[in-house]
Amino acid sequence: YVQAMQGSNVDVMVAATASVRRLLSKDNKPPVDEVLAGGAGPVLVRLLGHPDQRVVFEAAWCITNIASTEHTSKVVELGAIPALVALLRSPHANVREQVIWCLGNVVGDGPTYRDMLLDTPDCVAALTLNIQAPANVSLLRNATWAMSNFCRGKPKPDPAKLGSVLGVLVGLLRSS
């Protein structure tokens, strides 16, 4: 699959990346170690910058599946965070929602990654935009869940970094 994910035929790239995503979507013990050992990790991160949003969506979904396992650290080690944060401003709602889900998993892994993402330029601001002007209810729910993960953990997050986060969450509570 890794070779096909790097080809020049976009339809083949989408199909190959979707096949990896389906492997990583298994309920019982997804083969994350095998997928990463096969070299897919760096390729998936590169695909986040592909011009075709179908490729980006499938790559983001693969990375989300990796982040939802005990391999969350691999997402960070592969350098995916800057590309994921940039995609919070994608014109494609499905890509944004997938990225939000991935970042929510990373933030929820613990205070180290929570604080890293709080310090990542544009992360909170771009996530906030997705809450203030969501493309759909599902995106709003995922963004709210991801945002709430910024408020969790011990030691507690720096309140100065949470100012805008708390304001957005309070606004959600007040809305209907």
Side-chain angles (χ1 to χ4, degrees):
Y1 294 116
V2 174
Q3 187 173 356
M5 288 168 33
Q6 299 178 85
S8 58
N9 182 317
V10 174
D11 292 328
V12 171
M13 292 173 73
V14 171
T17 309
S19 294
V20 172
R21 185 245 311 150
R22 283 189 290 278
L23 282 172
L24 293 171
S25 297
K26 290 184 177 183
D27 285 336
N28 266 346
K29 189 80 173 97
V32 176
D33 288 322
E34 293 84 352
V35 167
L36 293 173
V43 174
L44 291 168
V45 173
R46 277 196 306 276
L47 292 178
L48 293 174
H50 195 276
D52 189 296
Q53 71 96 17
R54 298 172 301 157
V55 173
V56 174
F57 175 75
E58 291 294 345
W61 197 343
C62 288
I63 294 169
T64 299
N65 288 344
I66 294 168
S68 70
T69 69
E70 68 275 10
H71 300 285
T72 306
S73 63
K74 291 292 184 189
V75 172
V76 176
E77 291 167 15
L78 287 166
I81 300 302
L84 291 167
V85 169
L87 286 169
L88 287 171
R89 294 182 182 271
S90 168
H92 307 285
N94 66 331
V95 170
R96 290 194 316 272
E97 185 168 1
Q98 196 56 241
V99 166
I100 287 166
W101 194 358
C102 186
L103 291 171
N105 284 330
V106 173
V107 170
D109 195 64
T112 300
Y113 293 147
R114 176 204 64 208
D115 293 345
M116 179 193 74
L117 281 164
L118 279 170
D119 290 334
T120 299
D122 202 39
C123 184
V124 173
L127 182 57
T128 299
L129 287 175
N130 281 283
I131 291 174
Q132 292 171 331
N136 55 58
V137 172
S138 178
L139 189 146
L140 176 61
R141 286 182 180 142
N142 278 319
T144 303
W145 163 75
M147 187 72 81
S148 72
N149 281 348
F150 279 101
C151 302
R152 299 178 29 207
K154 291 186 181 188
K156 293 183 181 199
D158 180 353
K161 294 178 182 176
L162 285 179
S164 63
V165 172
L166 295 174
V168 169
L169 292 176
V170 168
L172 281 171
L173 291 172
R174 291 184 177 155
S175 69
S176 51

